[in-house]
Coordinates of all heavy atoms in Angstrom, one line a residue:
M1 N 0.9 -1.2 0.0 CA 0.0 0.0 0.0 C 0.9 1.2 0.0 O 1.8 1.3 0.8 CB -0.9 0.0 1.2 CG -1.8 1.2 1.4 SD -2.9 1.1 2.9 CE -4.3 0.3 2.2
D2 N 0.6 2.2 -0.9 CA 1.3 3.5 -0.8 C 0.3 4.6 -0.3 O -0.8 4.2 0.0 CB 1.9 3.8 -2.2 CG 0.9 4.0 -3.3 OD1 -0.3 4.2 -3.0 OD2 1.3 3.9 -4.5
L3 N 0.8 5.8 -0.2 CA -0.1 6.8 0.3 C -1.3 7.1 -0.5 O -2.4 7.5 0.0 CB 0.7 8.1 0.6 CG 1.7 8.1 1.7 CD1 2.4 9.4 1.9 CD2 0.9 7.8 3.0
S4 N -1.3 6.9 -1.8 CA -2.5 7.0 -2.7 C -3.5 6.0 -2.3 O -4.7 6.2 -2.4 CB -2.1 7.0 -4.1 OG -1.7 5.7 -4.6
E5 N -3.0 4.8 -1.9 CA -4.0 3.7 -1.5 C -4.5 4.0 -0.1 O -5.7 3.7 0.2 CB -3.3 2.4 -1.5 CG -2.9 1.9 -2.9 CD -2.1 0.6 -2.9 OE1 -0.9 0.7 -2.6 OE2 -2.6 -0.4 -3.3
V6 N -3.8 4.7 0.7 CA -4.3 5.1 2.0 C -5.4 6.1 1.8 O -6.5 6.0 2.4 CB -3.2 5.7 2.9 CG1 -3.8 6.4 4.1 CG2 -2.2 4.7 3.3
E7 N -5.2 7.1 0.9 CA -6.2 8.0 0.5 C -7.5 7.4 0.0 O -8.6 7.7 0.3 CB -5.6 9.0 -0.5 CG -6.6 10.2 -0.8 CD -5.9 11.2 -1.8 OE1 -4.8 11.0 -2.3 OE2 -6.6 12.2 -2.0
K8 N -7.3 6.4 -0.9 CA -8.4 5.6 -1.4 C -9.2 4.9 -0.3 O -10.4 4.9 -0.3 CB -7.9 4.6 -2.4 CG -9.0 3.8 -3.1 CD -8.5 2.9 -4.1 CE -9.6 2.0 -4.7 NZ -9.1 1.0 -5.7
A9 N -8.5 4.3 0.7 CA -9.1 3.6 1.8 C -9.9 4.6 2.6 O -11.0 4.3 3.1 CB -8.1 2.9 2.7
V10 N -9.4 5.8 2.8 CA -10.2 6.8 3.5 C -11.4 7.2 2.8 O -12.5 7.3 3.4 CB -9.3 8.1 3.8 CG1 -10.1 9.3 4.3 CG2 -8.2 7.7 4.8
D11 N -11.3 7.4 1.5 CA -12.5 7.8 0.7 C -13.5 6.7 0.6 O -14.7 7.0 0.7 CB -12.0 8.2 -0.7 CG -11.3 9.6 -0.7 OD1 -11.4 10.3 0.3 OD2 -10.5 9.8 -1.6
E12 N -13.1 5.5 0.6 CA -14.0 4.3 0.6 C -14.6 4.1 1.9 O -15.7 3.6 2.1 CB -13.3 3.1 0.1 CG -13.0 3.1 -1.4 CD -12.1 1.9 -1.8 OE1 -11.7 1.1 -0.9 OE2 -11.9 1.8 -3.0
G13 N -14.0 4.6 3.0 CA -14.4 4.5 4.4 C -15.3 5.6 4.8 O -15.3 6.0 6.0
R14 N -15.9 6.3 3.9 CA -16.8 7.5 4.2 C -16.1 8.6 4.8 O -16.6 9.3 5.7 CB -18.0 7.0 5.1 CG -18.8 5.9 4.4 CD -19.8 5.4 5.3 NE -20.9 6.3 5.4 CZ -22.0 6.1 6.1 NH1 -22.1 5.0 6.8 NH2 -23.0 7.0 6.2
G15 N -14.8 8.8 4.5 CA -14.0 9.9 4.9 C -13.0 9.6 6.0 O -12.3 10.5 6.5
Y16 N -12.9 8.4 6.5 CA -12.0 8.0 7.5 C -11.6 6.5 7.5 O -12.4 5.7 6.9 CB -12.5 8.4 8.9 CG -13.9 7.7 9.2 CD1 -14.0 6.5 9.7 CD2 -15.0 8.4 8.8 CE1 -15.2 5.9 10.0 CE2 -16.3 7.8 9.0 CZ -16.3 6.6 9.6 OH -17.6 6.0 9.8
A17 N -10.5 6.2 8.0 CA -10.1 4.8 8.1 C -9.1 4.6 9.2 O -8.2 5.5 9.4 CB -9.5 4.3 6.8
A18 N -9.2 3.5 10.0 CA -8.2 3.2 11.0 C -7.1 2.4 10.4 O -7.4 1.3 9.8 CB -8.9 2.4 12.1
I19 N -5.9 2.9 10.4 CA -4.8 2.2 9.7 C -3.6 2.1 10.6 O -3.3 3.0 11.4 CB -4.4 3.1 8.5 CG1 -5.6 3.3 7.5 CG2 -3.2 2.5 7.7 CD1 -5.4 4.2 6.4
S20 N -3.0 0.9 10.6 CA -1.9 0.7 11.5 C -0.6 1.5 11.1 O -0.5 1.9 9.9 CB -1.5 -0.8 11.5 OG -0.8 -1.2 10.3
V21 N 0.2 1.8 12.1 CA 1.4 2.5 11.8 C 2.3 1.7 10.9 O 3.0 2.2 10.0 CB 2.2 2.9 13.1 CG1 3.6 3.4 12.9 CG2 1.4 3.8 14.0
K22 N 2.3 0.4 11.0 CA 3.0 -0.5 10.1 C 2.6 -0.3 8.7 O 3.5 -0.2 7.8 CB 2.8 -1.9 10.5 CG 3.6 -2.9 9.7 CD 3.4 -4.4 10.1 CE 4.2 -5.3 9.3 NZ 4.0 -6.7 9.7
T23 N 1.3 -0.2 8.4 CA 0.8 0.0 7.1 C 1.3 1.4 6.5 O 1.7 1.5 5.4 CB -0.7 -0.1 7.0 OG1 -1.0 -1.5 7.4 CG2 -1.3 0.1 5.6
L24 N 1.1 2.4 7.4 CA 1.6 3.8 7.0 C 3.1 3.8 6.7 O 3.5 4.4 5.8 CB 1.2 4.8 8.0 CG -0.3 5.0 8.2 CD1 -0.6 5.9 9.5 CD2 -1.0 5.6 7.0
R25 N 3.8 3.2 7.6 CA 5.3 3.1 7.4 C 5.6 2.4 6.1 O 6.5 2.9 5.3 CB 5.9 2.3 8.6 CG 7.4 2.2 8.5 CD 7.9 1.0 9.3 NE 7.5 -0.2 8.6 CZ 7.4 -1.4 9.2 NH1 7.6 -1.6 10.5 NH2 7.0 -2.5 8.5
N26 N 5.0 1.3 5.8 CA 5.2 0.6 4.5 C 4.8 1.5 3.3 O 5.4 1.4 2.3 CB 4.5 -0.7 4.5 CG 5.0 -1.7 5.5 OD1 6.1 -1.6 6.0 ND2 4.2 -2.7 5.7
A27 N 3.8 2.3 3.5 CA 3.3 3.2 2.4 C 4.3 4.2 2.0 O 4.3 4.7 0.8 CB 2.0 3.9 2.9
V28 N 5.2 4.6 2.9 CA 6.3 5.5 2.5 C 7.6 4.7 2.2 O 8.7 5.4 2.0 CB 6.5 6.6 3.5 CG1 5.3 7.5 3.6 CG2 7.0 6.1 4.9
G29 N 7.6 3.4 2.2 CA 8.7 2.6 1.9 C 9.8 2.6 3.0 O 11.0 2.4 2.6
A30 N 9.4 2.7 4.2 CA 10.4 2.7 5.3 C 10.4 1.4 6.0 O 9.4 0.7 6.1 CB 10.1 3.8 6.3
A31 N 11.5 1.0 6.6 CA 11.7 -0.3 7.3 C 11.3 -0.1 8.8 O 10.8 -1.0 9.5 CB 13.1 -0.8 7.2
R32 N 11.5 1.2 9.3 CA 11.2 1.5 10.7 C 10.5 2.8 10.8 O 10.8 3.7 10.0 CB 12.5 1.5 11.6 CG 13.1 0.1 11.6 CD 14.3 0.0 12.5 NE 13.8 0.3 13.9 CZ 14.6 0.4 14.9 NH1 15.9 0.3 14.7 NH2 14.2 0.6 16.1
A33 N 9.7 3.0 11.8 CA 8.9 4.2 12.0 C 9.7 5.1 12.9 O 9.3 5.4 14.0 CB 7.5 3.9 12.5
K34 N 10.8 5.6 12.4 CA 11.6 6.6 13.2 C 11.0 8.0 13.1 O 10.1 8.2 12.4 CB 13.1 6.6 12.7 CG 13.8 5.3 12.9 CD 15.2 5.4 12.4 CE 15.9 4.0 12.6 NZ 17.3 4.1 12.2
K35 N 11.6 8.9 13.9 CA 11.1 10.3 13.9 C 10.9 10.9 12.5 O 9.9 11.5 12.2 CB 12.0 11.1 14.8 CG 11.5 12.5 15.0 CD 12.4 13.3 16.0 CE 11.9 14.7 16.2 NZ 12.7 15.4 17.1
N36 N 11.9 10.8 11.7 CA 11.9 11.4 10.4 C 10.8 10.6 9.5 O 10.2 11.3 8.6 CB 13.2 11.4 9.7 CG 13.8 10.0 9.5 OD1 13.6 9.1 10.3 ND2 14.6 9.8 8.4
V37 N 10.6 9.4 9.7 CA 9.6 8.6 8.9 C 8.2 9.0 9.3 O 7.4 9.2 8.4 CB 9.8 7.1 9.1 CG1 8.7 6.3 8.5 CG2 11.2 6.7 8.5
V38 N 7.9 9.1 10.6 CA 6.6 9.6 11.0 C 6.3 11.0 10.5 O 5.2 11.3 10.2 CB 6.3 9.3 12.5 CG1 6.3 7.9 12.9 CG2 7.2 10.1 13.4
A39 N 7.3 11.8 10.5 CA 7.2 13.2 10.0 C 6.9 13.1 8.5 O 6.0 13.9 8.0 CB 8.4 14.0 10.2
E40 N 7.5 12.2 7.8 CA 7.2 12.0 6.3 C 5.8 11.5 6.1 O 5.1 12.0 5.2 CB 8.3 11.1 5.7 CG 8.1 10.8 4.3 CD 9.0 9.7 3.7 OE1 10.0 9.4 4.4 OE2 8.8 9.3 2.6
I41 N 5.4 10.6 6.9 CA 4.0 10.1 6.8 C 3.0 11.2 7.0 O 2.1 11.4 6.2 CB 3.8 9.0 7.8 CG1 4.6 7.7 7.5 CG2 2.3 8.6 7.9 CD1 4.6 6.7 8.6
S42 N 3.2 12.0 8.1 CA 2.3 13.1 8.4 C 2.2 14.1 7.3 O 1.2 14.6 6.9 CB 2.7 13.8 9.7 OG 1.8 14.7 10.1
A43 N 3.4 14.5 6.8 CA 3.5 15.5 5.7 C 2.8 14.9 4.4 O 2.1 15.7 3.7 CB 4.9 15.8 5.4
G44 N 3.0 13.6 4.1 CA 2.3 13.0 3.0 C 0.8 13.0 3.1 O 0.1 13.3 2.1
L45 N 0.4 12.7 4.3 CA -1.1 12.7 4.5 C -1.7 14.1 4.3 O -2.7 14.3 3.7 CB -1.4 12.1 5.9 CG -1.1 10.7 6.1 CD1 -1.3 10.3 7.6 CD2 -1.9 9.8 5.2
R46 N -1.0 15.1 4.9 CA -1.5 16.5 4.8 C -1.5 16.9 3.3 O -2.4 17.6 2.9 CB -0.6 17.4 5.6 CG -0.7 17.3 7.1 CD -2.0 18.1 7.5 NE -2.1 17.9 8.9 CZ -3.2 18.3 9.6 NH1 -4.1 19.0 9.0 NH2 -3.3 18.0 10.9
A47 N -0.5 16.6 2.6 CA -0.4 16.9 1.2 C -1.6 16.4 0.4 O -2.0 16.9 -0.6 CB 0.9 16.5 0.6
A48 N -2.1 15.2 0.9 CA -3.2 14.6 0.2 C -4.6 15.1 0.8 O -5.6 14.6 0.4 CB -3.1 13.1 0.4
G49 N -4.5 16.0 1.7 CA -5.7 16.6 2.3 C -6.3 15.7 3.4 O -7.5 15.7 3.6
L50 N -5.4 15.0 4.1 CA -5.8 14.1 5.1 C -5.2 14.5 6.5 O -4.1 15.0 6.5 CB -5.3 12.7 4.8 CG -5.8 12.1 3.5 CD1 -5.1 10.7 3.2 CD2 -7.3 11.9 3.6
G51 N -5.9 14.3 7.5 CA -5.5 14.5 8.9 C -5.3 13.2 9.6 O -5.7 12.1 9.0
H52 N -4.8 13.2 10.8 CA -4.7 11.9 11.5 C -4.8 12.1 13.0 O -4.5 13.2 13.5 CB -3.4 11.2 11.1 CG -2.2 12.1 11.3 ND1 -1.5 12.3 12.5 CD2 -1.5 12.8 10.4 CE1 -0.5 13.1 12.4 NE2 -0.4 13.4 11.1
A53 N -5.3 11.1 13.7 CA -5.3 11.1 15.2 C -4.7 9.8 15.6 O -5.0 8.8 15.1 CB -6.7 11.2 15.7
P54 N -3.8 9.8 16.5 CA -3.3 11.0 17.3 C -2.5 11.9 16.4 O -2.0 11.5 15.3 CB -2.4 10.4 18.4 CG -2.0 9.1 17.9 CD -3.1 8.6 17.0
F55 N -2.4 13.2 16.8 CA -1.8 14.2 16.0 C -0.3 13.9 15.7 O 0.2 14.1 14.6 CB -1.9 15.6 16.7 CG -1.3 16.7 15.9 CD1 -2.0 17.2 14.8 CD2 -0.2 17.4 16.3 CE1 -1.5 18.2 14.0 CE2 0.3 18.4 15.6 CZ -0.3 18.9 14.4
E56 N 0.4 13.3 16.7 CA 1.7 12.8 16.5 C 1.7 11.3 16.2 O 1.2 10.6 17.1 CB 2.6 13.1 17.7 CG 2.8 14.6 18.0 CD 3.7 14.8 19.2 OE1 4.5 13.9 19.6 OE2 3.6 15.9 19.8
I57 N 2.0 10.9 15.0 CA 2.0 9.5 14.7 C 2.9 8.7 15.6 O 4.1 9.1 15.7 CB 2.3 9.3 13.2 CG1 1.2 10.0 12.3 CG2 2.4 7.8 12.8 CD1 1.4 9.9 10.9
P58 N 2.4 7.7 16.2 CA 3.3 6.9 17.1 C 4.4 6.2 16.3 O 4.2 5.9 15.1 CB 2.3 5.8 17.7 CG 0.9 6.3 17.4 CD 1.0 7.2 16.2
K59 N 5.4 5.8 17.0 CA 6.5 5.1 16.3 C 6.4 3.6 16.4 O 7.0 2.9 15.7 CB 7.9 5.6 17.0 CG 8.2 7.0 16.7 CD 9.5 7.4 17.4 CE 9.7 8.9 17.2 NZ 9.8 9.6 18.4
R60 N 5.5 3.2 17.3 CA 5.3 1.7 17.4 C 4.4 1.2 16.3 O 3.3 1.8 16.1 CB 4.6 1.4 18.8 CG 5.7 1.6 19.9 CD 5.1 1.2 21.2 NE 4.5 -0.1 21.2 CZ 3.9 -0.7 22.3 NH1 3.9 0.0 23.4 NH2 3.3 -1.8 22.2
Q61 N 4.8 0.2 15.6 CA 4.1 -0.3 14.4 C 2.7 -0.9 14.7 O 1.9 -1.1 13.9 CB 4.9 -1.2 13.6 CG 5.2 -2.5 14.2 CD 6.0 -3.4 13.3 OE1 6.5 -3.0 12.2 NE2 6.3 -4.6 13.8
D62 N 2.5 -1.3 16.0 CA 1.3 -2.0 16.4 C 0.2 -1.0 16.7 O -1.0 -1.4 17.0 CB 1.5 -3.0 17.5 CG 1.9 -2.3 18.8 OD1 2.5 -1.2 18.7 OD2 1.7 -2.9 19.9
R63 N 0.5 0.3 16.7 CA -0.5 1.3 17.0 C -1.4 1.6 15.8 O -1.1 1.3 14.7 CB 0.2 2.6 17.4 CG 1.0 2.5 18.6 CD 0.2 2.2 19.8 NE 1.0 2.2 21.0 CZ 0.7 1.6 22.2 NH1 -0.5 1.0 22.2 NH2 1.4 1.7 23.2
V64 N -2.6 2.1 16.1 CA -3.6 2.4 15.1 C -3.7 3.9 15.0 O -3.8 4.6 16.0 CB -5.0 1.8 15.4 CG1 -6.0 2.2 14.4 CG2 -4.8 0.3 15.5
V65 N -3.8 4.4 13.8 CA -4.0 5.8 13.5 C -5.3 6.0 12.8 O -5.6 5.3 11.8 CB -2.8 6.4 12.7 CG1 -3.0 7.8 12.3 CG2 -1.5 6.2 13.4
L66 N -6.1 7.0 13.2 CA -7.3 7.3 12.5 C -7.0 8.3 11.5 O -6.6 9.5 11.8 CB -8.4 7.8 13.4 CG -9.7 8.1 12.8 CD1 -10.4 6.8 12.2 CD2 -10.7 8.7 13.8
V67 N -7.1 8.0 10.2 CA -6.7 8.9 9.1 C -8.1 9.4 8.5 O -9.0 8.6 8.3 CB -5.9 8.2 8.0 CG1 -5.6 9.1 6.8 CG2 -4.6 7.6 8.6
Y68 N -8.2 10.7 8.3 CA -9.5 11.2 7.9 C -9.3 12.3 6.9 O -8.3 13.0 6.8 CB -10.3 11.7 9.1 CG -9.6 12.7 9.9 CD1 -9.7 14.1 9.7 CD2 -8.8 12.3 11.0 CE1 -9.0 15.0 10.5 CE2 -8.1 13.2 11.8 CZ -8.2 14.5 11.5 OH -7.5 15.4 12.3
R69 N -10.4 12.5 6.1 CA -10.4 13.6 5.1 C -10.6 14.9 5.8 O -11.5 15.0 6.6 CB -11.5 13.3 4.1 CG -11.7 14.4 3.0 CD -10.7 14.5 2.0 NE -10.3 13.2 1.3 CZ -9.2 13.1 0.6 NH1 -8.3 14.0 0.5 NH2 -8.9 12.0 0.0
L70 N -9.8 15.9 5.5 CA -9.9 17.2 6.2 C -11.0 18.0 5.6 O -11.2 18.0 4.3 CB -8.6 18.0 6.0 CG -7.4 17.5 6.8 CD1 -6.1 18.2 6.4 CD2 -7.6 17.7 8.3
G71 N -11.8 18.6 6.4 CA -12.9 19.6 6.0 C -14.1 19.0 5.3 O -14.9 19.8 4.8
T72 N -14.3 17.7 5.2 CA -15.5 17.2 4.5 C -16.1 16.1 5.4 O -15.5 15.6 6.3 CB -15.1 16.6 3.2 OG1 -14.2 15.5 3.4 CG2 -14.5 17.6 2.2
G73 N -17.3 15.8 5.1 CA -18.0 14.7 5.8 C -18.6 15.2 7.2 O -18.3 16.3 7.7
Q74 N -19.6 14.4 7.7 CA -20.3 14.8 8.9 C -19.4 14.7 10.1 O -19.6 15.4 11.1 CB -21.4 13.8 9.1 CG -22.5 14.0 8.0 CD -23.7 13.1 8.2 OE1 -23.8 12.5 9.3 NE2 -24.5 12.9 7.2
G75 N -18.3 14.0 10.0 CA -17.4 13.9 11.2 C -16.3 14.9 11.2 O -15.4 14.9 12.1
A76 N -16.3 15.9 10.3 CA -15.2 16.8 10.1 C -15.0 17.6 11.4 O -13.8 17.9 11.8 CB -15.4 17.7 8.9
A77 N -16.1 18.1 12.0 CA -15.9 18.9 13.2 C -15.3 18.1 14.4 O -14.4 18.6 15.1 CB -17.3 19.5 13.6
L78 N -15.8 16.9 14.5 CA -15.2 16.0 15.5 C -13.7 15.7 15.3 O -12.9 15.8 16.2 CB -16.0 14.7 15.5 CG -15.5 13.6 16.5 CD1 -15.6 14.1 17.9 CD2 -16.4 12.4 16.3
M79 N -13.4 15.5 14.0 CA -12.0 15.2 13.6 C -11.1 16.4 13.9 O -10.0 16.3 14.3 CB -11.9 14.8 12.2 CG -12.6 13.5 11.9 SD -11.8 12.1 12.7 CE -12.8 12.0 14.2
A80 N -11.6 17.6 13.7 CA -10.8 18.8 14.0 C -10.5 18.9 15.5 O -9.4 19.3 15.9 CB -11.6 20.1 13.5
M81 N -11.5 18.5 16.3 CA -11.2 18.5 17.8 C -10.2 17.4 18.1 O -9.4 17.6 19.0 CB -12.5 18.3 18.5 CG -13.5 19.4 18.4 SD -15.1 19.3 19.3 CE -15.1 17.7 20.0
V82 N -10.2 16.3 17.4 CA -9.3 15.2 17.7 C -7.9 15.6 17.5 O -7.0 15.1 18.1 CB -9.7 14.0 16.9 CG1 -8.7 12.9 17.0 CG2 -11.1 13.4 17.4
E83 N -7.7 16.5 16.5 CA -6.3 16.9 16.2 C -5.6 17.5 17.4 O -4.4 17.5 17.4 CB -6.3 17.9 15.0 CG -6.5 17.3 13.7 CD -5.9 18.2 12.6 OE1 -5.5 19.3 12.8 OE2 -5.9 17.7 11.5
A84 N -6.3 17.9 18.4 CA -5.7 18.5 19.6 C -5.1 17.4 20.5 O -4.3 17.7 21.3 CB -6.8 19.2 20.4
A85 N -5.4 16.1 20.2 CA -4.9 15.0 21.0 C -3.5 14.7 20.6 O -3.1 14.7 19.4 CB -5.8 13.8 20.8
H86 N -2.6 14.5 21.6 CA -1.2 14.2 21.3 C -0.8 13.0 22.1 O -1.5 12.6 23.0 CB -0.3 15.4 21.8 CG -0.5 16.7 21.1 ND1 -0.1 16.9 19.8 CD2 -1.1 17.8 21.4 CE1 -0.4 18.1 19.4 NE2 -1.0 18.7 20.4
G87 N 0.2 12.3 21.6 CA 0.8 11.3 22.4 C 0.9 9.9 21.7 O 0.4 9.7 20.6
D88 N 1.6 9.0 22.4 CA 1.9 7.7 21.8 C 1.5 6.6 22.8 O 1.9 5.5 22.8 CB 3.4 7.6 21.6 CG 3.8 6.3 20.9 OD1 2.9 5.6 20.3 OD2 5.0 5.9 20.9
G89 N 0.6 7.0 23.8 CA 0.3 6.1 24.9 C -0.9 5.2 24.5 O -1.5 5.4 23.4
E90 N -1.3 4.4 25.4 CA -2.4 3.5 25.2 C -3.7 4.3 25.1 O -4.6 3.9 24.3 CB -2.6 2.5 26.5 CG -1.5 1.5 26.6 CD -1.4 0.5 25.4 OE1 -2.5 0.2 24.9 OE2 -0.4 0.1 25.1
Q91 N -3.8 5.4 25.8 CA -5.0 6.2 25.7 C -5.2 6.8 24.3 O -6.3 6.7 23.8 CB -4.9 7.3 26.7 CG -6.2 7.9 27.1 CD -6.1 8.8 28.3 OE1 -5.0 9.4 28.6 NE2 -7.2 9.0 29.0
A92 N -4.2 7.3 23.7 CA -4.3 7.8 22.3 C -4.6 6.7 21.3 O -5.4 6.9 20.4 CB -3.0 8.5 21.9
N93 N -4.0 5.5 21.5 CA -4.3 4.4 20.6 C -5.8 4.0 20.8 O -6.5 3.8 19.8 CB -3.4 3.2 21.0 CG -3.5 2.1 20.0 OD1 -3.3 2.3 18.8 ND2 -3.7 0.9 20.5
G94 N -6.2 3.9 22.0 CA -7.6 3.5 22.2 C -8.6 4.6 21.7 O -9.6 4.2 21.2
A95 N -8.2 5.8 21.8 CA -9.1 6.9 21.3 C -9.3 6.8 19.8 O -10.4 6.9 19.2 CB -8.5 8.3 21.6
A96 N -8.2 6.5 19.0 CA -8.3 6.3 17.6 C -9.2 5.2 17.2 O -10.0 5.3 16.3 CB -6.9 6.1 17.0
W97 N -9.0 4.1 18.0 CA -9.9 2.9 17.7 C -11.3 3.2 18.0 O -12.3 2.9 17.2 CB -9.4 1.7 18.5 CG -10.4 0.5 18.4 CD1 -10.4 -0.4 17.4 CD2 -11.4 0.2 19.2 NE1 -11.4 -1.3 17.6 CE2 -12.1 -0.9 18.7 CE3 -12.0 0.8 20.4 CZ2 -13.2 -1.5 19.3 CZ3 -13.1 0.2 21.0 CH2 -13.7 -0.9 20.4
L98 N -11.6 3.8 19.2 CA -13.0 4.2 19.6 C -13.6 5.1 18.6 O -14.8 4.9 18.2 CB -13.0 4.8 21.0 CG -14.3 5.1 21.6 CD1 -15.2 3.9 21.7 CD2 -14.2 5.8 22.9
L99 N -12.9 6.1 18.2 CA -13.5 7.0 17.2 C -13.8 6.3 15.9 O -14.9 6.6 15.3 CB -12.6 8.2 16.9 CG -12.5 9.3 18.0 CD1 -11.4 10.2 17.8 CD2 -13.8 10.0 18.1
S100 N -13.0 5.4 15.5 CA -13.2 4.7 14.2 C -14.5 3.8 14.3 O -15.2 3.6 13.3 CB -12.0 3.9 13.8 OG -11.9 2.7 14.6
T101 N -14.8 3.4 15.5 CA -16.0 2.6 15.7 C -17.3 3.4 15.9 O -18.4 3.0 15.6 CB -15.9 1.6 16.9 OG1 -15.7 2.3 18.1 CG2 -14.8 0.6 16.6
M102 N -17.1 4.7 16.4 CA -18.2 5.5 16.6 C -18.7 6.3 15.4 O -19.9 6.6 15.2 CB -17.9 6.6 17.7 CG -17.7 6.0 19.1 SD -17.1 7.3 20.3 CE -18.0 8.7 19.9
L103 N -17.8 6.6 14.5 CA -18.1 7.4 13.3 C -19.2 6.9 12.4 O -20.0 7.7 11.9 CB -16.9 7.8 12.5 CG -16.0 8.8 13.2 CD1 -14.6 8.9 12.5 CD2 -16.6 10.2 13.3
P104 N -19.3 5.6 12.2 CA -20.4 5.1 11.4 C -21.8 5.5 11.9 O -22.6 5.8 11.1 CB -20.2 3.6 11.3 CG -18.7 3.4 11.6 CD -18.4 4.5 12.6
S105 N -22.0 5.5 13.2 CA -23.3 5.9 13.7 C -23.5 7.3 13.5 O -24.7 7.8 13.4 CB -23.4 5.5 15.2 OG -22.5 6.2 16.0
L106 N -22.5 8.2 13.6 CA -22.7 9.6 13.3 C -23.0 9.9 11.9 O -23.8 10.7 11.6 CB -21.4 10.4 13.7 CG -21.0 10.4 15.1 CD1 -19.6 11.1 15.3 CD2 -22.0 11.2 16.0
D107 N -22.5 9.1 11.0 CA -22.7 9.3 9.5 C -24.1 8.9 9.2 O -24.7 9.3 8.2 CB -21.7 8.5 8.7 CG -20.4 9.1 8.7 OD1 -20.3 10.3 9.0 OD2 -19.4 8.5 8.3
D108 N -24.8 8.0 9.9 CA -26.1 7.5 9.6 C -27.2 8.5 10.0 O -28.4 8.2 9.8 CB -26.3 6.1 10.3 CG -25.4 5.0 9.7 OD1 -25.0 5.2 8.6 OD2 -25.2 4.1 10.4
R109 N -26.9 9.5 10.7 CA -27.9 10.5 11.2 C -28.3 11.4 10.1 O -27.7 11.8 9.2 CB -27.4 11.3 12.4 CG -27.2 10.3 13.5 CD -26.7 11.1 14.7 NE -26.4 10.1 15.8 CZ -26.4 10.4 17.0 NH1 -26.5 11.6 17.4 NH2 -26.1 9.5 17.9

């Protein structure tokens, strides 16, 4: 998967998708998610019009990142608030997962 495929997954997912750090790391062709690699991932997502939660992409490959389309969809306001979340802890990982499970019910309204 490359970053264009990440963008496609987000668009097919009604504007968001929960994606592992390992998948994002592989999308930029890196072997490890070091500081410069997560910065490259973040910049690539922004260039494609995508945001992510947590705001700082974790370096651990088993973490989940909620990638979402910026400025569109019913969840856009919620996603803008989520950008304020920072960190690489269990709480941030859980928040990304929880939001990815909650968003379908918001979209159905």
Side-chain angles (χ1 to χ4, degrees):
M1 177 179 272
D2 62 19
L3 286 178
S4 67
E5 291 173 288
V6 170
E7 186 176 7
K8 183 178 177 184
V10 168
D11 290 338
E12 289 174 354
R14 301 173 76 180
Y16 55 89
I19 301 175
S20 72
V21 172
K22 181 179 180 179
T23 299
L24 293 171
R25 180 203 71 201
N26 291 343
V28 297
R32 296 186 62 187
K34 295 181 179 183
K35 184 177 181 176
N36 61 328
V37 172
V38 295
E40 179 183 350
I41 293 167
S42 186
L45 293 173
R46 286 283 176 184
L50 301 171
H52 53 82
F55 185 70
E56 292 180 27
I57 295 175
K59 294 178 187 124
R60 288 186 47 183
Q61 70 178 4
D62 64 334
R63 299 295 185 199
V64 174
V65 175
L66 183 63
V67 180
Y68 55 92
R69 176 71 54 200
L70 291 168
T72 61
Q74 295 179 13
L78 177 60
M79 294 296 93
M81 291 181 358
V82 169
E83 281 202 354
H86 296 286
D88 185 19
E90 292 294 327
Q91 202 169 23
N93 188 56
W97 175 84
L98 181 60
L99 284 168
S100 72
T101 61
M102 289 173 44
L103 286 171
S105 66
L106 292 173
D107 284 344
D108 292 337
R109 292 179 186 202

